[in-house]
């Protein structure tokens, strides 16, 4: 059969509240045009994230009942530890309530003021946790990563020549670890090849620097390797995942993605001494090292989810569904990051809305428009999320790319939902020249995209607008 179907049946349904365009206009105003501030019940198709939004399987729901809620040494922890060790292969497995908790604890133990952490591309929470400690997060992806229209089978790769030059240029003592994020979420959900991980490891070994994987989407990355890298077609996704982790000294993991769980994560390492320091910190803020801020039942759901995500019929269907969305909109002219990613399609808002200057946030404008048009919630990954940087004269610097991510939650939406999304995007694309930009009216110091408040740029107001931000003067040009 040519048709690839959802390899599951629906057992429980959750009704979707349908809304009108007028209602959505009101919800947008109430949320200050920040889609994170919408009430989820007012969203028709929620593509904000694939994180923590998965539908659990019958096996996971059954596993919840097995949850052992003992404070210390619960059976659920040992089941969880066994599954994680089997796939990831690390000696020490420390549960965490989610990925950023693992990041905070890892960097608190390994980094200090002045440390530098190179990554293919730091995710926003990774960067924020590093910078919060007075350390620096550096992105070293291959050049193709910054060219949305360019096809590359492993566009998430790290630029290994740049990494080696970088380590040589700054003292390796200042680099407590190198990270590789699989898949590379910030610019397309693009995979990293096994060859690239191996090369990064070789460089790290030469300079005595540990390598960690940000493993959030490890199963999708492993499946891309199976499909695209010579020598892996006959290996199972699990074998490929094990090989990926065999080159690393540890990993951070958000089980909210490829753990198919609604909450949870973990931190792994082969270094017993480091693990002890990490567990000491864990007790301070997360909980005892056999639950790490999770209920026993959560550990059970993750243990089952980690096995299920490796099923190849599931990954085949997931990739087919995401590719379908990408191909249908790009065939009609919508510019997207090519090729389609493992968990999402990213629209290139800079290319689609060239009349909106970067600092009027074309990605935000497009995300707002998709909600207005059809109640679809997506996520800006551009100057709102990344540009909290300023030139010496105090001007905000735009991000390298202005993207809108349509992340597909695991096992939640069917083919007709995807068709609805395609239709909405094409309608917005038709009237793209009439869409205008936004400005930020208030924002917090870190991770501003979650809570910043926006207003539409009124084309009739003055050309040059001056406002104060972080005590600096920011100029937004119409
Ligand atoms: N690393 C990557 C690559 C991520 O994508 C995320 C989360 C994290 C770390 C942090 O994990 O949310 O469990 O604390 N990404 C979500 C997203 C939020 O929508 O892409 P967390």
């Amino acid at each position: 059969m040519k048709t690839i179907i959802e390899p599951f049946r629906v057992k429980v349904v959750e009704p979707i509240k349908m809304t009108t365009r007028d209602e959505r206009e009101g919800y947008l105003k109430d949320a200050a045009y920040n889609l994170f501030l919408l009430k989820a019940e007012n969203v028709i198709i929620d593509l904000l994230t694939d994180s923590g939004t998965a539908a659990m399987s019958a096996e996971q729901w059954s596993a919840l009942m097995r949850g052992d809620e003992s404070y210390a040494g619960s059976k659920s922890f040992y089941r969880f530890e066994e599954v994680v060790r089997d796939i990831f292969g690390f000696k020490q497995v420390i549960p965490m309530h989610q990925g950023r908790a693992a990041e905070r604890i890892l960097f608190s133990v390994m980094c200090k003021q002045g440390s530098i952490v190179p990554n293919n591309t730091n995710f926003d929470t990774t960067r924020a946790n590093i910078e919060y400690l007075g350390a620096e997060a550096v992105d070293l992806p291959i050049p193709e990563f910054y060219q949305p229209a360019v096809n590359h089978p492993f566009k998430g790769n790290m630029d290994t020549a740049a990494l080696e030059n970088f380590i040589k240029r700054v003292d390796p003592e200042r680099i407590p670890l190198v990270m590789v994020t699989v898949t590379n979420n910030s610019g397309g959900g693009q995979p990293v090849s096994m060859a690239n991980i191996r090369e990064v490891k070789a460089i790290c070994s030469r300079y005595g620097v540990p390598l960690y994987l940000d493993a959030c989407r490890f199963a999708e990355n492993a499946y891309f390797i199976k499909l695209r890298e010579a020598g892996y077609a006959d290996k199972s996704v699990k074998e490929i995942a094990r090989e990926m982790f065999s080159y690393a000294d540890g990993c951070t993991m958000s089980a909210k993605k490829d753990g198919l769980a609604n909450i949870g994560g973990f931190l792994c390492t082969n270094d017993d001494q480091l693990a002890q320091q990490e567990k000491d910190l864990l007790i301070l803020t997360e909980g005892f090292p056999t639950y790490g801020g999770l209920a026993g039942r959560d550990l059970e759901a993750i243990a089952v989810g980690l096995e299920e995500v490796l099923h190849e019929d599931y990954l085949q269907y997931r990739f087919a569904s995401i590719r379908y969305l990408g191909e249908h909109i790009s065939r009609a002219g919508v510019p997207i990051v090519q090729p389609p990613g493992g968990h999402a399609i990213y629209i290139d808002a800079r290319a689609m809305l060239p009349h909106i200057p970067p600092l009027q946030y074309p990605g935000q404008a497009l995300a707002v428009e998709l909600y207005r048009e059809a109640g679809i919630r997506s996520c800006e990954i551009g100057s709102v999320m990344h540009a909290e940087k300023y030139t010496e004269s105090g001007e905000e610097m735009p991000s390298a790319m202005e993207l809108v991510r349509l992340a597909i939650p695991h096992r939640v939406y069917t083919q007709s939902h995807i068709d609805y999304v395609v239709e909405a995007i094409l309608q917005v694309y038709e009237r793209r020249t009439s869409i205008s930009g936004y400005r930020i009216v208030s924002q917090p110091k870190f991770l501003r995209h979650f809570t910043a408040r926006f207003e539409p740029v009124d084309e009739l107001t003055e050309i040059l607008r001056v406002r104060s931000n972080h005590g600096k003067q920011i100029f937004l040009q119409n």
Side-chain angles (χ1 to χ4, degrees), residues 45 321 324-325 328-329 376 413-426:
I45 305 282
S321 170
Y324 175 95
L325 169 59
H328 276 72
I329 61 172
I376 296 165
Y413 294 116
T414 63
Q415 183 62 30
S416 64
H417 292 120
I418 300 289
D419 283 324
Y420 175 89
V421 174
V422 169
E423 182 183 336
I425 294 170
L426 297 187

Side-chain angles (χ1 to χ4, degrees), residues 76-235:
S76 301
F77 169 73
Y78 291 108
R79 247 190 305 269
F80 161 86
E81 183 187 50
E82 192 184 328
V83 173
V84 175
R85 277 217 187 112
D86 180 43
I87 301 167
F88 294 71
F90 298 108
K91 246 168 98 183
Q92 296 278 351
V93 178
I94 310 173
M96 300 278 163
H97 82 268
Q98 63 183 91
R100 68 199 71 183
E103 291 168 351
R104 192 185 69 79
I105 288 182
L106 174 71
F107 300 135
S108 300
V109 168
M110 294 192 83
C111 295
K112 53 180 192 273
Q113 183 104 19
S115 297
I116 306 176
V117 182
N119 200 322
N120 47 350
T121 312
N122 287 275
F123 183 67
D124 60 350
T125 59
T126 322
R127 173 177 295 283
N129 273 296
I130 292 169
E131 290 176 351
Y132 188 72
L133 295 164
E136 198 184 328
V138 171
D139 295 339
L140 297 173
I142 55 170
E144 290 86 347
F145 179 80
Y146 292 116
Q147 299 160 1
V150 170
N151 247 293
H152 187 294
F154 291 102
K155 214 175 178 179
N157 279 354
M158 184 174 249
D159 185 335
T160 46
L163 174 67
E164 182 142 31
N165 285 337
F166 186 82
I167 299 179
K168 273 195 216 151
R169 199 154 40 82
V170 305
D171 178 3
E173 291 285 304
R174 286 183 63 193
I175 304 179
L177 73 161
V178 168
M179 283 194 99
V180 172
T181 303
V182 294
T183 59
N184 193 337
N185 180 17
S186 304
Q190 300 292 329
V192 177
S193 71
M194 194 72 86
N196 190 252
I197 297 175
R198 232 182 272 126
E199 278 170 42
V200 172
K201 174 62 182 174
I203 294 168
C204 287
S205 302
R206 270 205 288 287
Y207 296 92
V209 178
L211 170 64
Y212 274 66
L213 296 190
D214 175 337
C216 292
R217 297 178 179 88
F218 76 99
E220 289 163 2
N221 200 83
Y223 192 53
F224 273 122
I225 290 176
K226 183 179 171 93
L227 298 179
R228 296 184 184 168
E229 193 162 350
Y232 289 95
D234 296 329
K235 295 215 156 104

